[in-house]
Amino acid sequence: MSSIAATRVQRELKDINSEECSGQNIRIELMNDQFEHLKGEIIGPPGTPYQGGKFKLSIHIPETYPFNPPKVKFETKIWHPNISSVTGAICLDILKDQWAAALTLRTVLLSLQALLSAAEPDDPQDAVVAKQYKDNNSLFYKTAKFWAQIYAEAPGPTDTDCMDKLKKVTEMGFYRDPSLRALSSNSWNLADALDNIG
Amino acid sequence: MDSDEDFDYYDAGDDEEDDLSLRDDADDDDEDEGYLDDNIIVSEAPHGSETKDEEVYPHECLSADRIVDLMVEILKEVNDIVNIPPTTLRILLAHFNWDKELLLEKYYEYDGNQERIFKEAHVVSPFKMKRSNKSRDVSCEICCSSCSSSFMTGLDCGHMFCKGCWSQYLRTKIMDEGMSQTIPCPAFDCEIIVDDAIVMSLISDKKVRLKYQHLMTNSFVECNSLLKWCPSPDCHHVIKVEYRDRRAVKCDCGREFCFECSESWHDPVLCVHLKKWLKKCDDDSETSNWISANTKECPKCQVTIEKDGGCNHVICRSQTCKHEFCWVCLGPWDPHGASWYNCNRYNADDAKKARDTQQRSREMLQRYLFYCNRYMNHLQSLKFEHKLYARVKRKMEEMQQLNMSWIEVQFLKKAVDVLCQCRQTLMYTYVFAFFLKRNNQLLLFEDNQADLEKATETLSEYLERDITTASIRDIKQKVQDKYRYCDSRRSVLLRHVHEGYDKEWWDYLD
C-alpha cells in the first residue's frame, strides 16, 4: 500500500473518531493493522424506514487511494432501490466517476446516509426494489422497515403479517434470506413467492 | 472477350480493346507505382464523367511527428487571431474538436461575453484577475499533511494541493484511466481542466510523459474530422484529407481503407450497409446454419424451437405462448387428437398457413446464406492470393532467366494485383446486393457482377494452373487480355453502382 494512502487513512480515522460523539452516527474501524480493509457503520437516519438500524459496510482501500475511490458495499442486507438486495453493491456517483481525491471516507459515509434518506429510484441498482418504490411506496416502506428490523436491529415492533408469512415459508424448509427476498419481491403474496423462490 | 455484349451496360466492351492498347506502353513503364495511377488513366478514358471512384481523392500520410507539428500549426494560426495563452487555447480547441473555424465563430458570437465560452470549455478565463495565493503554510487536502506554500500548486480555480499529490493524481489519471485532454482539478465538483504545461511541469517520469503525449496526439486525431489513424495493427500513421468523404485512402504501410469507416476499402457497398453486414455475419453465420438444419419456428409466436425428443406433439415453452402444435405439419395439435401418431393432415388450412410462414422465414435465411457464402468464398480466396504472389514471383524470376527482361515479366504481378482488386470488389458486391430490392437496375447490376465474376475466375485459373504448363509467350497474351478485361469490367460495374447512388436507382430493403 502506497504511503499516501496509508497516511491518508490514518489521518481520516483520527478525524472521524474525534467527531464520533458529535452526533453524526457514523463509525469506521480497522479490520487489522493493514489499511486495506476497513469496517464502517452508519445508523439509519430518522424519518426513514431504516431509522435506528445499524448498517455495516465493508470498505476496501485501493492501492491508488485517494486518487481512486474506495470500494464500499453493504454487509448488512438492506431493501433500497440503489443498493442490491442480494450483494449489497451500491450505486452512488461519488463512488464511481464523480469521485474526487479531496473527498474522504467521512464524506462517503455521510453521502450513504443521505442516500438512505433520499433514494434515486430512476437510477436503480436493484430494479425490483426500485419498481416497488415507484409503484407501491407504502409496501416499499413496510418491506424496507421489516428488513431493517430483521437484519439491522432497527427498534420497534415488527409487522406481524410479514413475520407470519416469513415463518410459513421458512417452516417449509427454505432458508430465511431467500424466503424473505422472494416474499418482498412478490408483494408479500405467499403463493407467488413460493413459485419464484430461488 | 466472348459474350460481353449481353452484359455490357456501358458498352465498354467494344472500344475497350483500342483504349487499352493505347495505354499499353505507358502501363508497362509505370507498373511499379501501383494501381493508383491506373485509376487515373481509366478516368481519362472516354466513358463519361460519372466516375466518382476514379477521381483523385487528395490525402496525405502523416507520421507521428508531423501530427504534433500540425497541432502546433493550428494553435499558432488561431493564436495569431485571438490572443489567448497557448495552454488555454489548446483546451478551448479540444473543446471544439479542433475545429478552428467553429472556435472563432463562437468566440466572436459571444463577443463581450467570452466568459461563457471559457466556462463551457471548463477553463478559467485568462482575462480574469488571478487570485493571489500567497498564504502561509497550508495543509494539502489530499494527503492531509501541511506543506510550505511553495510546495503547493494549483490551477486558476484556486484549489491548491501539494506537488507530490498532484503528480500522483495525474499519474493515476494518465496511466490508469487514460485521460489527457479532460483531466479535471482534483477538488470535488471542480471541473476546471488541467492544461498540458502543468502536466509536463509536474510529471518527471518519462513513461508517464510519453503516455501523456501519446494520449494527447490520439485525442487530437480522434477529435479532428479530417484525420484518421491507419487501422493496421502497429501502424502509427495518420491519414489527412482535405474534406471528409466515403473514399479510399492508402497509408504508407500499404493498407488501403475507407476514410469514413476505417474498414478495408469496400466499394461499391455503403459504410452503413457494410457495418450492418459485418455485424450480421458476426452474430449469425455459424448459428444460422445450425438453426436452419435443426430447428423450426413456433407457428404462433415464431420463437425458434429445437425438438429434443421423439414425440411430435410440441408445446411451445414460451411463457406467453404455450401453443400446442404438430411438429410434422406445423398445424395446431387439437384436430390431431391424442391417437394420431403419424400426421396425415397435410392439407388442413391452418397447417398450411403455418407452413407458409415458416417457409417465408426460412427463405429469408436461405437468402442470407446465399449472399454470405459468396461473400465468404471471395474473402477466403483473397486470403489465399498472397500465396499466389509468392508463386508468381518465382515464376517471374524463372522467366527472367529465360531471356526475358524485368519489364516484360511484370505483367504477372499486375495480373495478381488486378485479381485481388476484382475479388475484393466482388466480395462487396454481394453485401451491396443483399440489402437491395429487386428492380431492373439490380438485374443489370447482377449481369455486370456475373460477367466480372466469370472473368475473374478465369483469370484466377490462368494464374493458378496454366502458368506452369503453357508456353510463356502464349500465356502472356492470354493473361494480359484477361486482366485488362477484368479491370475494365470492374470499372463498369462500379460506375454503374455509383451512378445508381447519384440517380437513386437503388431500393433498399428495410
Side-chain angles (χ1 to χ4, degrees):
Chain A
M1 161 156 277
S2 74
S3 65
I4 292 195
T7 37
R8 247 289 286 257
V9 173
Q10 255 171 319
R11 186 66 180 257
E12 286 190 41
L13 281 172
K14 216 174 101 195
D15 286 353
I16 288 187
N17 293 330
S18 70
E19 287 169 32
E20 196 193 343
C21 330
S22 62
Q24 276 174 333
N25 293 322
I26 56 172
R27 213 167 57 200
I28 291 181
E29 57 195 52
L30 281 172
M31 299 279 280
N32 47 35
D33 45 357
Q34 299 298 308
F35 293 99
E36 281 167 44
H37 281 101
L38 307 172
K39 234 165 46 187
E41 190 179 281
I42 55 177
I43 306 294
T48 69
Y50 313 102
Q51 178 167 2
K54 291 177 188 148
F55 295 92
K56 291 194 170 35
L57 302 158
S58 101
I59 303 170
H60 174 80
I61 304 289
E63 182 74 16
T64 48
Y65 185 79
F67 304 106
N68 281 321
K71 295 188 168 64
V72 185
K73 65 174 202 168
F74 274 82
E75 293 278 277
T76 309
K77 292 198 176 300
I78 182 167
W79 191 252
H80 186 285
N82 303 105
I83 300 158
S84 164
S85 61
V86 183
T87 63
I90 304 165
C91 177
L92 181 64
D93 57 353
I94 62 157
L95 289 177
K96 291 177 183 137
D97 50 331
Q98 291 301 304
W99 172 258
L103 290 174
T104 63
L105 294 174
R106 184 172 152 264
T107 47
V108 168
L109 295 203
L110 290 175
S111 306
L112 285 174
Q113 236 175 5
L115 187 68
L116 295 190
S117 305
E120 298 273 359
D122 291 325
D123 189 13
Q125 172 80 38
D126 194 312
V128 178
V129 187
K131 191 169 181 321
Q132 193 184 64
Y133 182 96
K134 290 176 88 166
D135 296 350
N136 191 344
N137 198 267
S138 63
L139 191 67
F140 162 79
Y141 195 94
K142 180 170 106 171
T143 311
K145 188 168 176 188
F146 190 68
W147 278 55
Q149 286 166 333
I150 295 282
Y151 293 117
E153 305 167 32
T158 50
D159 188 296
T160 46
D161 175 52
C162 297
M163 208 46 162
D164 285 349
K165 282 176 178 158
L166 181 59
K167 219 178 211 160
K168 267 187 199 144
V169 181
T170 48
E171 275 166 4
M172 290 177 198
F174 294 107
Y175 288 111
R176 187 185 67 168
D177 293 354
S179 307
L180 180 51
R181 194 160 46 244
L183 282 166
S184 308
S185 316
N186 290 286
S187 311
W188 293 94
N189 181 313
L190 205 55
D192 288 352
L194 286 172
D195 272 352
N196 294 305
I197 200 158
Chain B
M1 254 138 290
D2 23 71
S3 61
D4 56 277
E5 293 90 332
D6 300 339
F7 303 113
D8 240 330
Y9 171 67
Y10 272 97
D11 204 28
D14 297 338
D15 34 279
E16 147 194 52
E17 280 289 52
D18 316 342
D19 175 29
L20 286 165
S21 50
L22 270 177
R23 301 170 25 193
D24 209 349
D25 302 18
D27 227 35
D28 281 347
D29 293 342
D30 296 344
E31 222 59 278
D32 47 343
E33 287 178 44
Y35 32 80
L36 201 71
D37 52 341
D38 212 37
N39 286 341
I40 300 168
I41 291 169
V42 174
S43 76
E44 286 162 358
H47 287 313
S49 56
E50 63 284 337
T51 53
K52 190 183 176 195
D53 178 50
E54 289 128 10
E55 277 165 33
V56 196
Y57 182 45
H59 62 271
E60 177 182 6
C61 182
L62 305 179
S63 65
D65 299 341
R66 282 282 295 122
I67 304 166
V68 178
D69 293 347
L70 188 69
M71 189 147 67
V72 174
E73 263 168 48
I74 298 183
L75 275 169
K76 263 202 189 125
E77 242 174 88
V78 183
N79 204 20
D80 286 347
I81 308 173
V82 293
N83 198 12
I84 302 175
T87 47
T88 313
L89 187 57
R90 174 178 277 204
I91 296 174
L92 276 185
L93 272 165
H95 175 68
F96 287 106
N97 287 339
W98 289 90
D99 185 337
K100 53 180 192 252
E101 278 83 21
L102 186 65
L103 168 77
L104 292 172
E105 190 185 304
K106 288 279 176 201
Y107 192 78
Y108 290 111
E109 188 186 313
Y110 289 174
D111 206 13
N113 189 16
Q114 280 143 358
E115 201 48 38
R116 194 167 137 204
I117 220 173
F118 291 109
K119 194 160 178 248
E120 282 170 4
H122 301 309
V123 61
V124 173
S125 161
F127 308 120
K128 233 178 170 179
M129 285 297 287
K130 296 269 156 59
R131 287 194 219 186
S132 57
N133 274 302
K134 290 185 204 99
S135 51
R136 46 308 62 123
D137 286 6
V138 270
S139 101
C140 164
E141 256 192 85
I142 294 178
C143 61
C144 304
S145 52
S146 44
C147 326
S148 74
S149 55
S150 65
F151 199 61
M152 301 284 283
T153 187
L155 306 174
D156 294 337
C157 54
H159 300 113
M160 306 296 277
F161 304 97
C162 80
K163 286 182 179 165
C165 286
W166 259 113
S167 74
Q168 277 264 17
Y169 171 73
L170 293 172
R171 196 195 167 87
T172 336
K173 289 285 166 195
I174 295 164
M175 300 306 278
D176 301 349
E177 294 173 38
M179 290 172 85
S180 61
Q181 283 189 344
T182 53
I183 303 176
C185 163
F188 177 61
D189 231 5
C190 178
E191 292 178 327
I192 295 303
I193 288 175
V194 182
D195 63 64
D196 55 314
I198 294 232
V199 174
M200 291 319 250
S201 74
L202 285 166
I203 299 274
S204 49
D205 188 338
K206 238 188 173 157
K207 225 172 76 195
V208 186
R209 288 171 78 107
L210 213 65
K211 171 111 189 246
Y212 179 71
Q213 281 161 333
H214 181 74
L215 287 167
M216 284 297 259
T217 353
N218 192 31
S219 65
F220 170 69
V221 175
E222 308 254 292
C223 289
N224 199 315
S225 59
L226 299 178
L227 297 177
K228 194 128 269 166
W229 288 108
C230 168
S232 292
D234 290 329
C235 176
H236 298 295
H237 286 118
V238 164
I239 303 293
K240 178 174 181 285
V241 295
E242 317 261 312
Y243 56 93
R244 205 186 167 117
D245 200 358
R246 180 188 70 86
R247 296 292 282 278
V249 290
K250 196 168 181 205
C251 176
D252 284 355
C253 74
R255 172 75 169 246
E256 197 185 18
F257 63 97
C258 169
F259 188 80
E260 188 64 33
C261 69
S262 290
E263 291 291 345
S264 293
W265 178 230
H266 52 75
D267 211 23
V269 71
L270 298 175
C271 302
V272 269
H273 289 145
L274 179 70
K275 202 173 156 202
K276 252 195 195 162
W277 172 261
L278 292 175
K279 182 163 183 342
K280 192 168 173 56
C281 288
D282 271 358
D283 295 350
D284 294 353
S285 57
E286 288 307 311
T287 334
S288 54
N289 281 320
W290 187 90
I291 290 176
S292 155
N294 295 295
T295 67
K296 295 184 179 180
E297 279 105 38
C298 166
K300 194 171 159 211
C301 70
Q302 310 303 327
V303 75
T304 311
I305 296 174
E306 179 200 5
K307 189 158 95 81
D308 63 351
C311 175
N312 286 325
H313 178 187
V314 178
I315 303 170
C316 177
R317 283 274 197 88
S318 172
Q319 289 298 318
T320 48
C321 177
K322 309 249 190 216
H323 182 58
E324 299 186 26
F325 65 96
C326 167
W327 185 258
V328 180
C329 73
L330 295 175
W333 185 255
D334 278 350
H336 288 71
S339 57
W340 294 100
Y341 180 72
N342 285 313
C343 170
N344 62 354
R345 295 185 170 248
Y346 184 76
N347 278 320
D349 270 358
D350 26 14
K352 192 159 183 297
K353 222 171 101 195
R355 278 197 305 275
D356 287 349
T357 331
Q358 180 102 66
Q359 204 181 348
R360 263 199 301 284
S361 97
R362 285 296 128 115
E363 267 164 15
M364 293 288 286
L365 193 63
Q366 285 307 320
R367 181 170 182 277
Y368 165 67
L369 287 175
F370 172 90
Y371 287 104
C372 187
N373 280 334
R374 277 152 187 80
Y375 169 82
M376 287 297 174
N377 275 341
H378 285 294
L379 186 66
Q380 281 299 332
S381 306
L382 201 55
K383 279 186 189 153
F384 289 130
E385 305 304 7
H386 70 262
K387 279 194 202 154
L388 191 60
Y389 269 115
R391 228 178 26 228
V392 159
K393 202 175 154 220
R394 272 204 305 280
K395 186 71 189 174
M396 282 158 70
E397 281 159 9
E398 211 176 284
M399 287 159 85
Q400 281 177 63
Q401 281 163 7
L402 289 172
N403 262 342
M404 290 179 86
S405 70
W406 182 83
I407 285 182
E408 273 180 302
V409 298
Q410 289 307 306
F411 78 94
L412 271 177
K413 188 179 165 294
K414 174 73 183 171
V416 183
D417 285 345
V418 171
L419 177 66
C420 289
Q421 277 177 290
C422 288
R423 284 224 183 277
Q424 187 154 353
T425 305
L426 279 169
M427 182 170 116
Y428 292 117
T429 55
Y430 285 107
V431 185
F432 172 73
F434 176 72
F435 292 100
L436 288 183
K437 276 191 202 142
R438 298 228 137 256
N439 62 17
N440 288 340
Q441 291 297 341
L442 184 60
L443 288 180
L444 272 176
F445 166 80
E446 282 176 346
D447 288 346
N448 279 336
Q449 187 187 33
D451 195 26
L452 176 60
E453 187 153 58
K454 192 164 149 252
T456 306
E457 292 306 338
T458 322
L459 177 62
S460 178
E461 207 172 318
Y462 284 167
L463 291 170
E464 289 269 326
R465 279 192 219 107
D466 304 358
I467 196 173
T468 43
T469 53
S471 92
I472 286 163
R473 296 286 163 193
D474 271 6
I475 196 81
K476 178 165 181 178
Q477 198 50 49
K478 253 164 104 182
V479 167
Q480 268 179 337
D481 284 351
K482 208 62 192 176
Y483 84 64
R484 282 170 191 157
Y485 182 68
C486 285
D487 205 27
S488 76
R489 292 311 306 170
R490 179 172 161 269
S491 313
V492 167
L493 180 138
L494 290 177
R495 259 201 312 274
H496 177 221
V497 174
H498 291 154
E499 193 179 353
Y501 283 136
D502 290 343
K503 299 189 176 163
E504 298 182 1
W505 287 338
W506 310 122
D507 299 328
Y508 299 105
L509 299 166
D510 332 296

